[in-house]
Amino acid sequence: MSKYSIHQFVQTTQQDESAREFFELETDRLLEVNLNGLVWAKAGSMISYEGNIKFEREGMLEHGLGKFVKKAFTGEGAQLMKANGNGKLYLADRGKKITILDLEGESIFINGNDLLAFQDGLDWDIKLMRRVAGMMAGGLFNVRLEGKGLVAFTSHYEPLTLLVTPDRPVFTDPNATVAWSGNLEPEFVTDIQLKSLFGRGSGESVQMKFSGNGFVVVQPFEEVYTMPQG
């Protein structure tokens, strides 16, 4: 049999039926959700499903007026959908690499554009980066998740985690920053000397400065977002 036959292709690329965890990586860039209940996911991330699953966009006031106001400000990037039912759900986002974390009471911030899915029951809130609202073309918000449950986020290529200690703060490009530990509060700083070297996506030398104890996750890619026109 040819190694390029249809049979060989199906054998190599077919779904793994042995997977039974709530979140499973079918590939590095495709998330399988073994659904029996409800999951929150990025709107537009569903690529396939089987079973009895109902999809709904997040209601305008479903999570309270405060979150609705913040979502209205941040634009399309914060849009969520909920999938409810029983079956297998497959999620992906522009071929980006997917990372799964199992929170056990910890908290984490994730760039709103990089949040792919999270288990119902986790506490979450949208945090605006007001300081850079006039400096960047998007990516102005992040989502803080806390509690016990699974969360999946995406990155362009392999993510790198940098440790932050009191004697060693970490500086990052906002357009390359994916996530950070929930106890850290980044500052936004500028350095005119770095204007042509740092922060290419924003046109300014905007940097995120992380101080304290924790970690920050970056990707080897500057993701420039477009704010919706209206």
PDB file of all heavy atoms in Angstrom, residues 65-91:
ATOM      1  N   LEU A  65     -24.044  44.177  34.026  1.00  0.00           N
ATOM      2  CA  LEU A  65     -23.873  45.401  33.258  1.00  0.00           C
ATOM      3  C   LEU A  65     -22.410  45.813  33.164  1.00  0.00           C
ATOM      4  O   LEU A  65     -21.961  46.294  32.130  1.00  0.00           O
ATOM      5  CB  LEU A  65     -24.695  46.520  33.901  1.00  0.00           C
ATOM      6  CG  LEU A  65     -24.646  47.882  33.202  1.00  0.00           C
ATOM      7  CD1 LEU A  65     -25.189  47.760  31.787  1.00  0.00           C
ATOM      8  CD2 LEU A  65     -25.446  48.907  33.992  1.00  0.00           C
ATOM      9  N   GLY A  66     -21.647  45.587  34.243  1.00  0.00           N
ATOM     10  CA  GLY A  66     -20.251  46.002  34.244  1.00  0.00           C
ATOM     11  C   GLY A  66     -19.445  45.333  33.145  1.00  0.00           C
ATOM     12  O   GLY A  66     -18.688  45.979  32.420  1.00  0.00           O
ATOM     13  N   LYS A  67     -19.605  44.025  32.993  1.00  0.00           N
ATOM     14  CA  LYS A  67     -18.871  43.323  31.945  1.00  0.00           C
ATOM     15  C   LYS A  67     -19.370  43.721  30.561  1.00  0.00           C
ATOM     16  O   LYS A  67     -18.601  43.813  29.617  1.00  0.00           O
ATOM     17  CB  LYS A  67     -18.997  41.805  32.137  1.00  0.00           C
ATOM     18  CG  LYS A  67     -18.142  41.272  33.267  1.00  0.00           C
ATOM     19  CD  LYS A  67     -18.255  39.765  33.388  1.00  0.00           C
ATOM     20  CE  LYS A  67     -17.435  39.265  34.575  1.00  0.00           C
ATOM     21  NZ  LYS A  67     -17.579  37.821  34.794  1.00  0.00           N
ATOM     22  N   PHE A  68     -20.668  43.974  30.447  1.00  0.00           N
ATOM     23  CA  PHE A  68     -21.199  44.379  29.149  1.00  0.00           C
ATOM     24  C   PHE A  68     -20.593  45.711  28.710  1.00  0.00           C
ATOM     25  O   PHE A  68     -20.213  45.877  27.564  1.00  0.00           O
ATOM     26  CB  PHE A  68     -22.726  44.490  29.201  1.00  0.00           C
ATOM     27  CG  PHE A  68     -23.314  45.146  27.977  1.00  0.00           C
ATOM     28  CD1 PHE A  68     -23.260  44.511  26.751  1.00  0.00           C
ATOM     29  CD2 PHE A  68     -23.894  46.391  28.059  1.00  0.00           C
ATOM     30  CE1 PHE A  68     -23.786  45.106  25.614  1.00  0.00           C
ATOM     31  CE2 PHE A  68     -24.422  47.007  26.926  1.00  0.00           C
ATOM     32  CZ  PHE A  68     -24.369  46.358  25.710  1.00  0.00           C
ATOM     33  N   VAL A  69     -20.503  46.664  29.618  1.00  0.00           N
ATOM     34  CA  VAL A  69     -19.926  47.963  29.284  1.00  0.00           C
ATOM     35  C   VAL A  69     -18.479  47.797  28.833  1.00  0.00           C
ATOM     36  O   VAL A  69     -18.039  48.382  27.844  1.00  0.00           O
ATOM     37  CB  VAL A  69     -20.020  48.923  30.485  1.00  0.00           C
ATOM     38  CG1 VAL A  69     -19.213  50.191  30.225  1.00  0.00           C
ATOM     39  CG2 VAL A  69     -21.473  49.258  30.760  1.00  0.00           C
ATOM     40  N   LYS A  70     -17.715  46.975  29.550  1.00  0.00           N
ATOM     41  CA  LYS A  70     -16.319  46.775  29.183  1.00  0.00           C
ATOM     42  C   LYS A  70     -16.199  46.068  27.839  1.00  0.00           C
ATOM     43  O   LYS A  70     -15.339  46.386  27.032  1.00  0.00           O
ATOM     44  CB  LYS A  70     -15.595  45.995  30.288  1.00  0.00           C
ATOM     45  CG  LYS A  70     -15.288  46.863  31.503  1.00  0.00           C
ATOM     46  CD  LYS A  70     -14.486  46.143  32.545  1.00  0.00           C
ATOM     47  CE  LYS A  70     -15.312  45.190  33.361  1.00  0.00           C
ATOM     48  NZ  LYS A  70     -14.562  44.639  34.499  1.00  0.00           N
ATOM     49  N   LYS A  71     -17.081  45.100  27.577  1.00  0.00           N
ATOM     50  CA  LYS A  71     -17.046  44.392  26.302  1.00  0.00           C
ATOM     51  C   LYS A  71     -17.381  45.331  25.157  1.00  0.00           C
ATOM     52  O   LYS A  71     -16.809  45.256  24.084  1.00  0.00           O
ATOM     53  CB  LYS A  71     -18.017  43.208  26.320  1.00  0.00           C
ATOM     54  CG  LYS A  71     -17.520  42.026  27.137  1.00  0.00           C
ATOM     55  CD  LYS A  71     -18.611  40.998  27.307  1.00  0.00           C
ATOM     56  CE  LYS A  71     -19.001  40.380  25.976  1.00  0.00           C
ATOM     57  NZ  LYS A  71     -17.892  39.663  25.335  1.00  0.00           N
ATOM     58  N   ALA A  72     -18.329  46.249  25.388  1.00  0.00           N
ATOM     59  CA  ALA A  72     -18.692  47.195  24.347  1.00  0.00           C
ATOM     60  C   ALA A  72     -17.502  48.086  23.995  1.00  0.00           C
ATOM     61  O   ALA A  72     -17.290  48.448  22.846  1.00  0.00           O
ATOM     62  CB  ALA A  72     -19.872  48.048  24.802  1.00  0.00           C
ATOM     63  N   PHE A  73     -16.696  48.423  25.006  1.00  0.00           N
ATOM     64  CA  PHE A  73     -15.527  49.273  24.779  1.00  0.00           C
ATOM     65  C   PHE A  73     -14.425  48.515  24.045  1.00  0.00           C
ATOM     66  O   PHE A  73     -13.771  49.037  23.171  1.00  0.00           O
ATOM     67  CB  PHE A  73     -14.996  49.795  26.110  1.00  0.00           C
ATOM     68  CG  PHE A  73     -13.774  50.665  25.974  1.00  0.00           C
ATOM     69  CD1 PHE A  73     -13.894  52.024  25.715  1.00  0.00           C
ATOM     70  CD2 PHE A  73     -12.504  50.122  26.091  1.00  0.00           C
ATOM     71  CE1 PHE A  73     -12.771  52.827  25.587  1.00  0.00           C
ATOM     72  CE2 PHE A  73     -11.381  50.917  25.965  1.00  0.00           C
ATOM     73  CZ  PHE A  73     -11.519  52.278  25.711  1.00  0.00           C
ATOM     74  N   THR A  74     -14.222  47.248  24.419  1.00  0.00           N
ATOM     75  CA  THR A  74     -13.084  46.519  23.882  1.00  0.00           C
ATOM     76  C   THR A  74     -13.323  46.011  22.471  1.00  0.00           C
ATOM     77  O   THR A  74     -12.385  45.684  21.768  1.00  0.00           O
ATOM     78  CB  THR A  74     -12.749  45.302  24.771  1.00  0.00           C
ATOM     79  OG1 THR A  74     -13.905  44.480  24.911  1.00  0.00           O
ATOM     80  CG2 THR A  74     -12.285  45.749  26.133  1.00  0.00           C
ATOM     81  N   GLY A  75     -14.584  45.931  22.023  1.00  0.00           N
ATOM     82  CA  GLY A  75     -14.835  45.526  20.650  1.00  0.00           C
ATOM     83  C   GLY A  75     -14.959  44.030  20.480  1.00  0.00           C
ATOM     84  O   GLY A  75     -15.290  43.291  21.392  1.00  0.00           O
ATOM     85  N   GLU A  76     -14.665  43.578  19.255  1.00  0.00           N
ATOM     86  CA  GLU A  76     -14.979  42.208  18.875  1.00  0.00           C
ATOM     87  C   GLU A  76     -14.152  41.157  19.598  1.00  0.00           C
ATOM     88  O   GLU A  76     -14.569  40.033  19.743  1.00  0.00           O
ATOM     89  CB  GLU A  76     -14.788  42.045  17.365  1.00  0.00           C
ATOM     90  CG  GLU A  76     -15.766  42.880  16.546  1.00  0.00           C
ATOM     91  CD  GLU A  76     -15.544  42.722  15.067  1.00  0.00           C
ATOM     92  OE1 GLU A  76     -14.485  42.178  14.696  1.00  0.00           O
ATOM     93  OE2 GLU A  76     -16.400  43.139  14.280  1.00  0.00           O
ATOM     94  N   GLY A  77     -12.942  41.515  20.025  1.00  0.00           N
ATOM     95  CA  GLY A  77     -12.043  40.510  20.563  1.00  0.00           C
ATOM     96  C   GLY A  77     -12.541  39.791  21.794  1.00  0.00           C
ATOM     97  O   GLY A  77     -12.077  38.702  22.100  1.00  0.00           O
ATOM     98  N   ALA A  78     -13.491  40.386  22.533  1.00  0.00           N
ATOM     99  CA  ALA A  78     -13.964  39.779  23.766  1.00  0.00           C
ATOM    100  C   ALA A  78     -15.194  38.909  23.557  1.00  0.00           C
ATOM    101  O   ALA A  78     -15.757  38.400  24.499  1.00  0.00           O
ATOM    102  CB  ALA A  78     -14.289  40.863  24.797  1.00  0.00           C
ATOM    103  N   GLN A  79     -15.646  38.745  22.312  1.00  0.00           N
ATOM    104  CA  GLN A  79     -16.868  38.004  22.057  1.00  0.00           C
ATOM    105  C   GLN A  79     -16.721  36.538  22.450  1.00  0.00           C
ATOM    106  O   GLN A  79     -15.767  35.864  22.060  1.00  0.00           O
ATOM    107  CB  GLN A  79     -17.258  38.107  20.583  1.00  0.00           C
ATOM    108  CG  GLN A  79     -17.868  39.440  20.200  1.00  0.00           C
ATOM    109  CD  GLN A  79     -19.251  39.633  20.804  1.00  0.00           C
ATOM    110  OE1 GLN A  79     -19.965  38.671  21.051  1.00  0.00           O
ATOM    111  NE2 GLN A  79     -19.616  40.868  21.057  1.00  0.00           N
ATOM    112  N   LEU A  80     -17.678  36.056  23.226  1.00  0.00           N
ATOM    113  CA  LEU A  80     -17.699  34.660  23.633  1.00  0.00           C
ATOM    114  C   LEU A  80     -18.958  33.996  23.118  1.00  0.00           C
ATOM    115  O   LEU A  80     -19.961  34.647  22.824  1.00  0.00           O
ATOM    116  CB  LEU A  80     -17.661  34.549  25.162  1.00  0.00           C
ATOM    117  CG  LEU A  80     -16.405  35.033  25.875  1.00  0.00           C
ATOM    118  CD1 LEU A  80     -16.624  35.019  27.383  1.00  0.00           C
ATOM    119  CD2 LEU A  80     -15.199  34.184  25.499  1.00  0.00           C
ATOM    120  N   MET A  81     -18.888  32.675  23.001  1.00  0.00           N
ATOM    121  CA  MET A  81     -20.081  31.884  22.750  1.00  0.00           C
ATOM    122  C   MET A  81     -20.104  30.774  23.787  1.00  0.00           C
ATOM    123  O   MET A  81     -19.075  30.428  24.369  1.00  0.00           O
ATOM    124  CB  MET A  81     -20.062  31.284  21.345  1.00  0.00           C
ATOM    125  CG  MET A  81     -18.986  30.238  21.101  1.00  0.00           C
ATOM    126  SD  MET A  81     -19.101  29.495  19.460  1.00  0.00           S
ATOM    127  CE  MET A  81     -17.737  28.297  19.534  1.00  0.00           C
ATOM    128  N   LYS A  82     -21.279  30.246  24.038  1.00  0.00           N
ATOM    129  CA  LYS A  82     -21.361  29.094  24.931  1.00  0.00           C
ATOM    130  C   LYS A  82     -21.923  27.915  24.155  1.00  0.00           C
ATOM    131  O   LYS A  82     -22.822  28.066  23.321  1.00  0.00           O
ATOM    132  CB  LYS A  82     -22.196  29.395  26.170  1.00  0.00           C
ATOM    133  CG  LYS A  82     -23.609  29.859  25.937  1.00  0.00           C
ATOM    134  CD  LYS A  82     -24.294  30.138  27.276  1.00  0.00           C
ATOM    135  CE  LYS A  82     -25.700  30.685  27.076  1.00  0.00           C
ATOM    136  NZ  LYS A  82     -26.367  30.959  28.382  1.00  0.00           N
ATOM    137  N   ALA A  83     -21.337  26.762  24.407  1.00  0.00           N
ATOM    138  CA  ALA A  83     -21.780  25.513  23.808  1.00  0.00           C
ATOM    139  C   ALA A  83     -22.326  24.640  24.931  1.00  0.00           C
ATOM    140  O   ALA A  83     -21.649  24.417  25.936  1.00  0.00           O
ATOM    141  CB  ALA A  83     -20.624  24.814  23.103  1.00  0.00           C
ATOM    142  N   ASN A  84     -23.536  24.162  24.751  1.00  0.00           N
ATOM    143  CA  ASN A  84     -24.219  23.421  25.801  1.00  0.00           C
ATOM    144  C   ASN A  84     -24.780  22.132  25.221  1.00  0.00           C
ATOM    145  O   ASN A  84     -25.429  22.147  24.178  1.00  0.00           O
ATOM    146  CB  ASN A  84     -25.353  24.266  26.383  1.00  0.00           C
ATOM    147  CG  ASN A  84     -25.780  23.808  27.758  1.00  0.00           C
ATOM    148  OD1 ASN A  84     -25.378  22.743  28.224  1.00  0.00           O
ATOM    149  ND2 ASN A  84     -26.606  24.599  28.416  1.00  0.00           N
ATOM    150  N   GLY A  85     -24.519  21.008  25.873  1.00  0.00           N
ATOM    151  CA  GLY A  85     -25.065  19.743  25.417  1.00  0.00           C
ATOM    152  C   GLY A  85     -24.120  18.594  25.639  1.00  0.00           C
ATOM    153  O   GLY A  85     -23.262  18.624  26.531  1.00  0.00           O
ATOM    154  N   ASN A  86     -24.260  17.574  24.801  1.00  0.00           N
ATOM    155  CA  ASN A  86     -23.438  16.371  24.890  1.00  0.00           C
ATOM    156  C   ASN A  86     -22.863  16.055  23.519  1.00  0.00           C
ATOM    157  O   ASN A  86     -23.595  16.052  22.525  1.00  0.00           O
ATOM    158  CB  ASN A  86     -24.272  15.175  25.376  1.00  0.00           C
ATOM    159  CG  ASN A  86     -24.733  15.332  26.803  1.00  0.00           C
ATOM    160  OD1 ASN A  86     -24.003  15.017  27.742  1.00  0.00           O
ATOM    161  ND2 ASN A  86     -25.961  15.820  26.982  1.00  0.00           N
ATOM    162  N   GLY A  87     -21.559  15.819  23.480  1.00  0.00           N
ATOM    163  CA  GLY A  87     -20.927  15.472  22.218  1.00  0.00           C
ATOM    164  C   GLY A  87     -19.475  15.882  22.208  1.00  0.00           C
ATOM    165  O   GLY A  87     -18.882  16.185  23.253  1.00  0.00           O
ATOM    166  N   LYS A  88     -18.903  15.922  21.023  1.00  0.00           N
ATOM    167  CA  LYS A  88     -17.515  16.333  20.832  1.00  0.00           C
ATOM    168  C   LYS A  88     -17.501  17.638  20.055  1.00  0.00           C
ATOM    169  O   LYS A  88     -18.137  17.758  19.006  1.00  0.00           O
ATOM    170  CB  LYS A  88     -16.729  15.257  20.068  1.00  0.00           C
ATOM    171  CG  LYS A  88     -16.446  14.002  20.881  1.00  0.00           C
ATOM    172  CD  LYS A  88     -15.582  13.044  20.086  1.00  0.00           C
ATOM    173  CE  LYS A  88     -15.279  11.775  20.879  1.00  0.00           C
ATOM    174  NZ  LYS A  88     -14.385  12.034  22.002  1.00  0.00           N
ATOM    175  N   LEU A  89     -16.754  18.589  20.581  1.00  0.00           N
ATOM    176  CA  LEU A  89     -16.649  19.912  19.987  1.00  0.00           C
ATOM    177  C   LEU A  89     -15.189  20.165  19.654  1.00  0.00           C
ATOM    178  O   LEU A  89     -14.305  19.905  20.465  1.00  0.00           O
ATOM    179  CB  LEU A  89     -17.166  20.957  20.982  1.00  0.00           C
ATOM    180  CG  LEU A  89     -16.966  22.430  20.651  1.00  0.00           C
ATOM    181  CD1 LEU A  89     -17.708  22.810  19.382  1.00  0.00           C
ATOM    182  CD2 LEU A  89     -17.421  23.302  21.832  1.00  0.00           C
ATOM    183  N   TYR A  90     -14.946  20.665  18.450  1.00  0.00           N
ATOM    184  CA  TYR A  90     -13.578  20.932  18.017  1.00  0.00           C
ATOM    185  C   TYR A  90     -13.400  22.432  17.787  1.00  0.00           C
ATOM    186  O   TYR A  90     -14.173  23.065  17.059  1.00  0.00           O
ATOM    187  CB  TYR A  90     -13.257  20.148  16.741  1.00  0.00           C
ATOM    188  CG  TYR A  90     -13.292  18.662  16.975  1.00  0.00           C
ATOM    189  CD1 TYR A  90     -14.448  17.927  16.726  1.00  0.00           C
ATOM    190  CD2 TYR A  90     -12.185  17.993  17.499  1.00  0.00           C
ATOM    191  CE1 TYR A  90     -14.500  16.571  16.976  1.00  0.00           C
ATOM    192  CE2 TYR A  90     -12.224  16.631  17.755  1.00  0.00           C
ATOM    193  CZ  TYR A  90     -13.384  15.925  17.487  1.00  0.00           C
ATOM    194  OH  TYR A  90     -13.428  14.580  17.746  1.00  0.00           O
ATOM    195  N   LEU A  91     -12.360  22.992  18.432  1.00  0.00           N
ATOM    196  CA  LEU A  91     -12.099  24.427  18.400  1.00  0.00           C
ATOM    197  C   LEU A  91     -10.687  24.703  17.885  1.00  0.00           C
ATOM    198  O   LEU A  91      -9.750  23.939  18.154  1.00  0.00           O
ATOM    199  CB  LEU A  91     -12.233  25.030  19.803  1.00  0.00           C
ATOM    200  CG  LEU A  91     -13.550  24.804  20.547  1.00  0.00           C
ATOM    201  CD1 LEU A  91     -13.431  25.337  21.978  1.00  0.00           C
ATOM    202  CD2 LEU A  91     -14.718  25.471  19.822  1.00  0.00           C
TER     203      LEU A  91
END
